Amino acid sequence: MNFKCQNAQLFVPDGLPAEQALRRTTHMAIAAHQDDIEIMAIEGILVCFQQPDTWFSGVVVTDGAGSPRDDLYKDYTDEQMRAIRVVEQKKASIVGDYAAQALLDYPSAMIKNSAHKDPIDDLQALLRVARPEVVYTHNLADKHPTHVAVALRVIEAIRSLPEAERPGRLLGCEVWRDLGWMLDEDKVVFDTTAHESLQAALLGVFDSQIAGGKRYDLATMGRRKANATYFASHAVDVMQGMATGMDLTPLIQDPSLDIQEYVQSFIERFAGDVRKLIGNVQ
Ligand SMILES: [Zn+2]
């Protein structure tokens, strides 16, 4: 695979040639930063883990240079930080048994500027070889601008593919803002009950972020527990862990759909629900 950025790479944990490794993919996550995949797309990792016929591939779009740092890493330069985050992402791909892990190495600023088309070309090249059935990316109501920009680039890349080459599902996942506010019937529910210790291991390899002062490991496992318990107020817990997603599939099936209006429709249904409930009990 030839990517546009000089230091971009495709890492294959089991050492197969790049295209052969990628062609196995059934589930793919495309995320902004190193560690986002393991926070948001755990369903895909778990569905594929140690299975002969399903394979998970990860794509990290940015270079991870600007992350906060502390503890062991407090004197690291941006370059050293970038290098350690690449190593951490490769470690996660080994722990999680991924088919392949792409690291596209774009500066955040370039992803947030839609005039830059190189990221779209790289994403299309990956999608064309991998042909995933399911793609996970950031949800469009995330509060991190780079996350939302990645989701928009993913939609653009998929929309430009011939219809027959588009994935069957595109799901927007939780990182910087969970989706608890969405109506339950609008949520895509991911069961994360299985392999709890593997989930913890996948989050734990990102030591530069966790020691950097953010307990993403505890927060993510806690969010999965909270989602499972707070999902349905009148039923017992049927899952021990849950992540939720926003279904973005209609946006890739119908490229004429307006992205802003599509997201606003979820927010409007939420607003209507709050209005109705207060009206019912006052
Ligand atoms: Zn991120």
Side-chain angles (χ1 to χ4, degrees):
M1 298 288 304
N2 289 320
F3 300 122
K4 302 279 183 179
C5 293
Q6 199 190 346
N7 292 321
Q9 52 181 313
L10 188 89
F11 175 70
V12 178
D14 64 3
L16 279 188
E19 296 205 359
Q20 196 182 338
L22 258 184
R23 263 197 294 274
R24 302 177 286 188
T25 307
T26 55
H27 295 64
M28 175 179 272
I30 305 174
H33 307 106
Q34 294 85 353
D35 79 359
D36 285 334
I37 288 172
E38 291 67 25
I39 293 171
M40 73 182 198
I42 189 65
E43 182 201 54
I45 300 170
L46 294 176
V47 164
C48 299
F49 187 70
Q50 292 288 318
Q51 298 300 314
D53 301 324
T54 53
W55 285 90
F56 180 86
S57 287
V59 180
V60 173
V61 176
T62 72
D63 58 15
S67 66
R69 60 212 68 176
D70 199 359
D71 199 60
L72 259 182
Y73 311 92
K74 71 178 185 317
D75 297 324
Y76 276 41
T77 62
D78 272 2
E79 269 320 298
Q80 287 172 307
M81 212 57 202
R82 191 168 160 181
I84 191 83
R85 297 195 72 185
V86 165
V87 170
E88 288 173 347
Q89 188 61 56
K90 289 180 178 175
K91 285 184 191 172
S93 72
I94 295 167
V95 172
D97 205 17
Y98 302 175
Q101 173 65 56
L103 294 139
L104 299 183
D105 207 41
Y106 286 99
S108 277
M110 206 164 154
I111 295 301
K112 287 184 280 191
N113 182 346
S114 63
H116 288 292
K117 297 301 177 194
D118 283 359
I120 309 283
D121 291 346
D122 279 349
L123 291 175
Q124 280 194 333
L126 283 162
L127 289 161
R128 281 208 146 105
V129 177
R131 299 289 294 270
E133 292 159 22
V134 183
V135 174
Y136 306 88
T137 190
H138 298 284
N139 83 74
L140 290 164
D142 194 288
K143 64 184 169 187
H144 194 308
T146 313
H147 287 195
V148 175
V150 165
L152 293 175
R153 305 302 163 253
V154 170
I155 292 168
E156 187 179 343
I158 296 175
R159 281 179 163 182
S160 316
L161 290 172
E163 223 174 307
E165 290 182 32
R166 293 180 202 153
R169 295 191 87 192
L170 178 66
L171 304 169
C173 306
E174 303 169 296
V175 183
W176 283 106
R177 192 173 276 153
D178 65 37
L179 295 172
W181 58 270
M182 286 176 72
L183 298 192
D184 284 349
E185 58 262 39
D186 284 342
K187 289 173 189 160
V188 179
V189 169
F190 305 127
D191 185 350
T192 68
T193 304
H195 299 292
E196 198 175 77
S197 63
L198 177 72
Q199 296 180 42
L202 283 163
L203 295 162
V205 300
F206 295 94
D207 189 62
S208 72
Q209 302 305 294
I210 294 166
K214 299 290 275 181
R215 294 306 305 266
Y216 296 118
D217 53 341
L218 301 181
T220 303
M221 295 305 285
R223 178 189 273 167
R224 288 174 192 160
K225 293 260 179 245
N227 280 341
T229 293
Y230 288 110
F231 180 62
S233 56
H234 297 300
V236 294
D237 295 356
V238 289
M239 297 176 193
Q240 298 307 308
M242 181 192 290
T244 51
M246 178 185 281
D247 193 359
L248 306 178
T249 312
L251 293 171
I252 56 166
Q253 287 173 335
D254 179 1
S256 72
L257 269 189
D258 185 275
I259 294 173
Q260 285 277 20
E261 279 177 26
Y262 183 78
V263 183
Q264 291 302 321
S265 70
F266 289 113
I267 298 169
E268 280 156 20
R269 283 197 288 281
F270 167 58
D273 190 62
V274 172
R275 204 174 289 119
K276 185 173 137 206
L277 202 149
I278 292 177
N280 284 348
V281 295
Q282 77 189 168

